[in-house]
Each structure stands twice: as structure tokens, then as C-alpha cells.
Amino acid sequence: MRWNKKYDYPTSSRATEDGIRRYVLGEAKLPSVTSILDATKSEEDKAALANWRERTGHKEAEAITKAASSRGSQMHSYLESFLLGRENLSFFEDNEQYKKMAKEIIDKGLTNRLEEIYGVECTMHYPEKYAGTADCIGVYEGKETIIDFKQSNKPKKAEYIDSWFLQTAAYSLAHNVVYNSNINACVILVCTVDNLFQEFKIQGPELITYQNLFLGRLKKFNEMNNLFY
């Protein structure tokens, strides 16, 4: 893995207004990709989440959600440190769960596959429309790619992670619009709490489909909030 600062990614701050997370870039305040997706979930998805909370118990469900969020944040932090060259693999030798999960992603998802790194924790924005943070951008198996890191309590199936595909597709679209780039693949690298590694990829026509689906969700979000661009 070598660094290639091919693109100049902007810095941003974040703010929450009316319950919507926004990125502040200069004078612009753009809704985050995750806020857009959360606000436009299908009724089926909302019902499934509500049913899970009911079955699990609201207190237990809240504890599970907080633990997963904390574990994910810690795993991302270690992966970021590794990619920035601040730590080497010996850093992961202890038995803390999120470190072992990060090492699985490095060993099975990044080593000998991620060829160039353009940036990590990069702010992506589509002017006047939306913004978000991509975990990593670079050349992955020969293609300019958006790379996203996820943790999970259990193995995932592709048909259940549409929101992840939509999220990375939104980043790829923004990158191509702003930088006139040719990102035509998105890779999601997942590790479960049992250290099972999974990889999911969308590329070519399938990626274009997800980009268009996200734009549909953005239109719905703007209509819900009486926003017109």
C-alpha cells in the first residue's frame, strides 16, 4: 500500500439542525448521507427495527446498539491509524475484540489488494446536495474504489445491506462529480464479533443503479423537508 495524494479532499465541521446531521463546508450546510438514508427508510425497514426492539426489550436493544457503535468507532480508529502509518501490525497483538476485528480486515481485505491510498476519513460532497465521510479511497485490485469498513454482530447477506451499498454509492457519485474521477467500484469490508470476515462489492452497472436509487432517496428527503435545489 502506498500513498498517492491524487485528490485534495476538503476539511469540514459538523452540526445538527432540526435533528439532521449536516456537514459545514464554507457557507454550505449539507445533509449527511446517513441522515438522508435514516429519514427515508421504508415502512418495512422501520417495522423490522421496531419489532426487533420489542422482541429484545428496549433497554437491552439500546445496550446492544451502543456497544456496537462503540466497537465500530474503535475498530475504525485503529484501521485509520494503520492506514496512516501510525501503527504496525504488532499494535494488534493483544486480545481486545475490536483490534482483532481490525486485523482480520487488514489481513484478508487490504493486504495485497489495496494498492494505493488517496485518503482516509475523506469528506465527500455533492455540491448543494449532500455530504459524508468515506472510510478510505484508493486503488483496490486495480480500480479506483470507495472502501468502507463495517462491524457486525452476525454474518450479513447482500440482500440485507442495501443501506451500505447506497451509502458508498452516494460517496462514489459525489467523488466523480467533484473530481471528474472514474470511481466505478465500492467495496465493503466487514468483520463480525466472532472474527468472520466478509467482503461485498458493487461495480459497473450495479453501482450506477445504486447511485440512481440514492438520488431517489435524496429527492424524497428534500420533499419531506421542503428543500428544493
Side-chain angles (χ1 to χ4, degrees):
M1 290 178 280
R2 64 183 181 273
W3 273 81
N4 178 357
K5 295 188 177 180
K6 183 174 180 178
Y7 302 106
D8 185 19
Y9 299 115
T11 57
S12 67
S13 60
R14 302 181 194 184
T16 301
E17 295 180 356
D18 301 324
I20 299 170
R21 296 183 300 280
R22 298 183 185 277
Y23 282 70
V24 182
L25 293 100
E27 297 299 315
K29 292 183 179 180
L30 303 176
S32 73
V33 169
T34 51
S35 285
I36 292 166
L37 293 175
D38 285 345
T40 58
K41 283 180 181 175
S42 68
E43 293 304 317
E44 183 181 6
D45 286 344
K46 291 177 184 177
L49 179 59
N51 290 337
W52 173 75
R53 287 184 174 276
E54 196 65 35
R55 291 195 311 271
T56 306
H58 290 280
K59 188 174 181 180
E60 179 65 16
E62 188 67 22
I64 291 171
T65 301
K66 284 184 177 179
S69 177
S70 174
R71 185 168 55 243
S73 295
Q74 290 170 316
M75 188 188 80
H76 273 79
S77 177
Y78 281 92
L79 286 166
E80 180 183 0
S81 292
F82 174 78
L83 291 171
L84 290 172
R86 295 173 184 163
E87 306 294 347
N88 56 38
L89 284 179
S90 65
F91 183 65
F92 299 91
E93 287 177 356
D94 62 40
N95 288 320
E96 290 181 89
Q97 186 180 53
Y98 54 86
K99 291 184 182 180
K100 291 191 291 185
M101 293 166 71
K103 190 172 185 301
E104 282 294 302
I105 287 176
I106 291 168
D107 288 346
K108 296 178 181 177
L110 298 177
T111 302
N112 298 322
R113 303 177 79 183
L114 179 60
E115 299 157 28
E116 292 185 20
I117 303 170
Y118 297 156
V120 296
E121 291 293 305
C122 305
T123 297
M124 295 288 93
H125 75 290
Y126 192 123
E128 300 184 353
K129 294 187 182 297
Y130 63 84
T133 302
D135 291 339
C136 181
I137 304 171
V139 178
Y140 189 90
E141 297 183 329
K143 295 181 179 180
E144 288 196 328
T145 303
I146 300 287
I147 301 137
D148 203 46
F149 307 126
K150 300 290 188 186
Q151 72 84 39
S152 178
N153 288 324
K154 59 184 180 180
K156 294 293 188 182
K157 294 182 179 180
E159 56 264 37
Y160 299 138
I161 59 170
D162 263 3
S163 63
W164 293 355
F165 291 145
L166 289 165
Q167 180 184 5
T168 53
Y171 298 157
S172 69
L173 179 60
H175 198 288
N176 289 342
V177 166
V178 171
Y179 299 104
N180 193 30
S181 56
N182 185 35
I183 291 184
N184 58 13
C186 296
V187 173
I188 301 169
L189 305 177
V190 187
C191 189
T192 71
V193 293
D194 295 324
N195 293 327
L196 172 69
F197 171 78
Q198 294 181 284
E199 175 194 286
F200 300 94
K201 181 184 288 186
I202 51 174
Q203 57 188 337
E206 185 179 21
L207 174 56
I208 293 171
T209 295
Y210 273 101
Q211 289 173 343
N212 288 327
L213 286 170
F214 176 78
L215 291 176
R217 297 280 285 270
L218 175 64
K219 183 175 184 290
K220 180 179 178 181
F221 174 84
N222 290 337
E223 290 169 349
M224 290 168 60
N225 292 279
N226 296 313
L227 300 173
F228 301 96
Y229 298 114

